Amino acid sequence: MSDLLADVRARGAVFRQTVIDPPWALRMAGGAPLALATMLHGHAWIVPDQGEPVLLGAGDVAIIRGDAPYVLADDPATAPSRVVTRDDYCPGVCGDPVGGAPVLLSGAFERRGDLSERLLHALPPVLVVPAAQSPLTGVLADEVARDRPGQQLVLDRLLDLMLVSALRGWLATPDTTAPAWCRALDDPIIGTALRLLHDTPAHPWTVATLAARSGVSRATLARRFTTLVGDPPMTYLTTWRLTLAADLLHQTNDTVATIARKVGYANAFALSVAFTRLRGIRPTVHRRPRTGAVGQV
């Protein structure tokens, strides 16, 4: 899980809204790959622009996928009276809740690279984790209401932990819609193989060496890996290496040759051939500055 979320981070701010009198509705401007919402008191409906409304009860945690706007409201039919943008997110203390009024907390995440792409696309548009499976909600509520040293760092990490906790619960649910390759991370054999590939992509892996390190035969690993992950081991490794290379091209000033060696290719030419074949552009073209900021609300 940590491998696939390596480039997803909370954005350094939390939006808190105390709603006193219904009806109420807020249009969240979106603009981030993922958003998190929880109700400390009361309930809310999450109304995507496309899709059915989803109920969010007190203490539940919702993960909203995609950067499209959506509405949070006390009733799906309530028209939004306010648009929440990045400027509304508190850089620090957001104040104490008023009595037992409904309180909404929302955090946004940014994606700095391509590592999490497959996982994000596998998520449902709105994923709700029940309060009973969300033990960190109370800790977040306590932290956001008081001014203490290091508060922003704590808030960021709490949001990260809540995201991981929510995704763990989703993957562990017997009737989950998670793709097979997500669940493969918990397989005692293939999970080991995946961690080996993720941790040491530059190693000269073969199916035989990977099988030996995973404690099974080559035939067993190849068959089981393909069934659970959806790709043969070496195909998956190629995709993983090129995903790492794509992120390094944007996030570092390393030469293409240096990046090639870091991800398991002998030289810049070998990386360029593989990168162009799989992604349709050369590494040097991919490295050119992107237009627009990533994940801004």
Side-chain angles (χ1 to χ4, degrees):
M1 178 69 72
S2 59
D3 300 324
L4 294 171
L5 288 175
D7 62 346
V8 175
R9 288 291 180 270
R11 303 168 34 148
V14 174
F15 171 76
R16 191 192 71 81
Q17 175 71 44
T18 299
V19 184
I20 300 176
D21 297 318
W24 61 269
L26 302 169
R27 184 167 180 80
M28 312 300 284
L34 283 178
L36 178 149
T38 183
M39 293 295 293
L40 304 186
H41 305 288
H43 74 276
W45 286 89
I46 303 171
V47 187
D49 281 3
Q50 295 182 348
E52 297 297 319
V54 178
L55 179 62
L56 183 66
D60 294 349
V61 174
I63 304 298
I64 301 100
R65 187 196 70 193
D67 58 5
Y70 57 95
V71 172
L72 286 164
D74 67 330
D75 186 280
T78 304
S81 59
R82 178 184 173 192
V83 176
V84 177
T85 68
R86 172 65 171 165
D87 293 338
D88 296 303
Y89 280 65
C90 308
V93 174
C94 297
D96 295 324
V98 178
V103 177
L104 162 70
L105 287 181
S106 177
F109 297 83
E110 65 180 4
R111 183 172 61 85
R112 298 185 176 93
D114 293 346
L115 290 181
S116 58
E117 189 71 21
R118 291 183 71 189
L119 180 59
L120 298 187
H121 278 297
L123 290 173
V126 179
L127 172 64
V128 175
V129 180
Q133 300 176 22
S134 308
L136 296 173
T137 305
V139 181
L140 179 65
D142 178 67
E143 186 63 37
V144 79
R146 292 195 287 166
D147 187 7
R148 290 181 285 191
Q151 183 188 50
Q152 193 57 63
L153 179 62
V154 172
L155 289 174
D156 290 349
R157 298 296 74 80
L158 276 174
L159 289 174
D160 288 339
L161 288 172
M162 290 177 75
L163 173 63
V164 172
S165 178
L167 294 178
R168 275 180 172 176
W170 175 58
L171 292 173
T173 303
D175 59 350
T176 181
T177 58
W181 61 263
C182 283
R183 300 193 297 273
L185 292 167
D186 291 328
D187 184 85
I189 296 172
I190 304 308
T192 297
L194 285 170
R195 283 187 287 275
L196 288 169
L197 297 180
H198 291 176
D199 292 344
T200 54
H203 185 80
W205 291 110
T206 64
V207 176
T209 58
L210 190 61
R213 292 285 299 276
S214 301
V216 294
S217 69
R218 174 178 174 175
T220 297
L221 178 78
R223 181 175 61 254
R224 191 174 182 86
F225 196 104
T226 303
T227 299
L228 295 185
V229 178
D231 288 318
M234 296 301 99
T235 300
Y236 181 90
L237 176 59
T238 296
T239 302
W240 181 255
R241 284 171 167 171
L242 295 181
T243 300
L244 291 174
D247 284 352
L248 290 171
L249 287 164
H250 278 306
Q251 297 169 6
T252 74
N253 292 321
D254 291 346
T255 65
V256 175
T258 298
I259 292 173
R261 290 190 294 272
K262 285 183 177 180
V263 301
Y265 287 91
N267 50 49
F269 177 76
L271 173 61
S272 182
V273 169
F275 200 96
T276 304
R277 175 174 53 82
L278 197 68
R279 290 179 167 250
I281 59 173
R282 299 188 307 276
T284 51
V285 176
H286 177 82
R287 169 163 260 172
R288 292 172 186 168
R290 299 177 180 179
T291 57
V294 174
Q296 294 297 308
V297 172

